[in-house]
Amino acid sequence: MSELAISFADVEAAADRLKGVAVETPLVESPALNERLGLQVLLKLETLQRVGAFKFRGAYNRLVQLNEAERKVGVVAFSSGNHAQGVALAAKLLGMPALIVMPADAPKVKADATRGYGAEVKFYDRLTESREKIAAAIAAERGAVMVPAFDDPHIIAGQGTAGLELVRQAAARGVNKLDVVITPCSGGGLLAGVATAVKALSPSTALIGAEPAGYDDTLKSLQAGVRTPMTPTHRTLCDALETPCPGELTFPIVHRNVSDVAVVTDAEVAEAVRYAFSVLKLVVEPGGAAGLAALLAGKVNMSGGKTVGLVLSGGNIDPDQMGQILRGEL
């Protein structure tokens, strides 16, 4: 491991572990999107990853490295949904028990899927209880391994494999220079991992994060030069991106490699989800559509560039919420 928690070699090693287990998700183009934006946009469809989100990559890369004794006791994690599913499926594939601490108001589709993969789910009240304390107490009682959602070198390296694939798939399509790569951003695991891979393979590419208004802690931290926690005052449609502070391990990587962070409103995110469904024919959850929202709203500085790699990071949207968004109620 480098002084920045992970190196490109760590991402490559993660890719070897994930080979034949994770999906090498497609990289696709939409002529309609290209025409609307006047850009060439290559869409990395992590919506088609196992569990419907990129989170499986990091979870499996973390769990597959546990020793026999650790696997016997199992793992504990806390998550609003996608990390929960990633850990649950990875644990199932590797034959170990898993308990996930989830907010009681987590999207039903995510909670049901987590149970469906065989994990035990413990709900908590996000307004009055600390998921970190609950998970830590259970892990201590069981002697289980805690699996963080983003602030872990193996998690970051696993997420970075999405960026590794993106650059190599783009080159296979004849695109040897990506001007910009955009990913949604919460705690920074995906952005840090993708940035590590992309910068190693294409140093001139600009990395851009996208996060929801009111949860723009990564942007504020980049502006301040240090991790800057926020105290959120409201919820956002992007339930997967509601982290109030970048990670201790992820932020130095982001600070070194990321050019900017675009901040998007719920209205812009809802429009992106509608656009993905109606024009791109893709089901994308609000958090997964944050980068698309930034592009559609003109919030990404292309600096004269024309070619964009865009990670659509997850597709686990509650059917009722999708209906409301499509009807224009959200």
Side-chain angles (χ1 to χ4, degrees), residues 10-130:
D10 297 317
V11 178
E12 291 184 302
D16 286 341
R17 295 184 194 102
L18 289 165
K19 194 170 185 179
V21 183
V23 174
E24 182 174 321
T25 54
L27 190 69
V28 304
E29 272 185 81
S30 162
L33 180 60
N34 287 350
E35 184 177 347
R36 170 168 170 169
L37 296 174
L39 302 168
Q40 181 182 23
V41 183
L42 305 178
L43 302 166
K44 181 65 169 161
L45 304 186
E46 286 297 290
T47 54
L48 301 181
Q49 186 52 262
R50 296 184 80 157
V51 311
F54 75 95
K55 288 285 193 178
F56 176 73
R57 296 174 181 271
Y60 189 86
N61 188 51
R62 180 69 186 91
L63 267 60
V64 76
Q65 296 181 74
L66 297 179
N67 62 39
E68 188 176 339
E70 290 169 328
R71 291 189 187 194
K72 188 172 183 180
V73 179
V75 294
V76 174
F78 51 84
S79 164
S80 64
N82 288 335
H83 178 60
Q85 293 172 78
V87 171
L89 177 56
K92 178 182 178 182
L93 294 173
L94 294 165
M96 67 179 82
L99 181 143
I100 316 295
V101 179
M102 299 185 75
D105 60 356
K108 186 173 184 297
V109 65
K110 295 182 179 182
D112 289 348
T114 302
R115 284 200 191 99
Y117 293 124
E120 183 183 350
V121 172
K122 179 173 179 57
F123 289 110
Y124 76 99
D125 184 333
R126 72 166 78 226
L127 297 178
T128 62
E129 296 180 291
S130 165

Side-chain angles (χ1 to χ4, degrees), residues 79-249:
S79 164
S80 64
N82 288 335
H83 178 60
Q85 293 172 78
V87 171
L89 177 56
K92 178 182 178 182
L93 294 173
L94 294 165
M96 67 179 82
L99 181 143
I100 316 295
V101 179
M102 299 185 75
D105 60 356
K108 186 173 184 297
V109 65
K110 295 182 179 182
D112 289 348
T114 302
R115 284 200 191 99
Y117 293 124
E120 183 183 350
V121 172
K122 179 173 179 57
F123 289 110
Y124 76 99
D125 184 333
R126 72 166 78 226
L127 297 178
T128 62
E129 296 180 291
S130 165
R131 64 184 188 174
E132 291 88 350
K133 289 181 180 177
I134 294 169
I138 295 170
E141 180 185 335
R142 298 185 176 187
V145 175
M146 281 280 290
V147 183
F150 52 85
D151 223 19
D152 177 287
H154 306 298
I155 298 283
I156 300 167
Q159 320 306 24
T161 61
L164 181 69
E165 289 177 12
L166 193 163
V167 175
R168 291 178 174 169
Q169 289 170 316
R173 297 171 68 95
V175 178
N176 293 310
K177 179 162 188 315
L178 289 161
D179 297 305
V180 170
V181 168
I182 307 168
T183 87
C185 180
S186 181
L190 178 64
L191 183 56
V194 167
T196 299
V198 171
K199 282 295 188 181
L201 296 170
S202 179
S204 65
T205 299
L207 273 295
I208 308 288
E211 58 187 353
Y215 292 83
D216 52 343
D217 49 287
T218 300
L219 176 60
K220 286 183 166 53
S221 297
L222 286 176
Q223 291 170 338
V226 294
R227 294 169 67 231
T228 304
M230 295 184 62
T231 303
T233 58
H234 63 274
R235 298 293 308 280
T236 166
L237 278 182
C238 303
D239 64 275
L241 306 183
E242 291 184 324
T243 302
C245 187
E248 289 184 31
L249 300 182

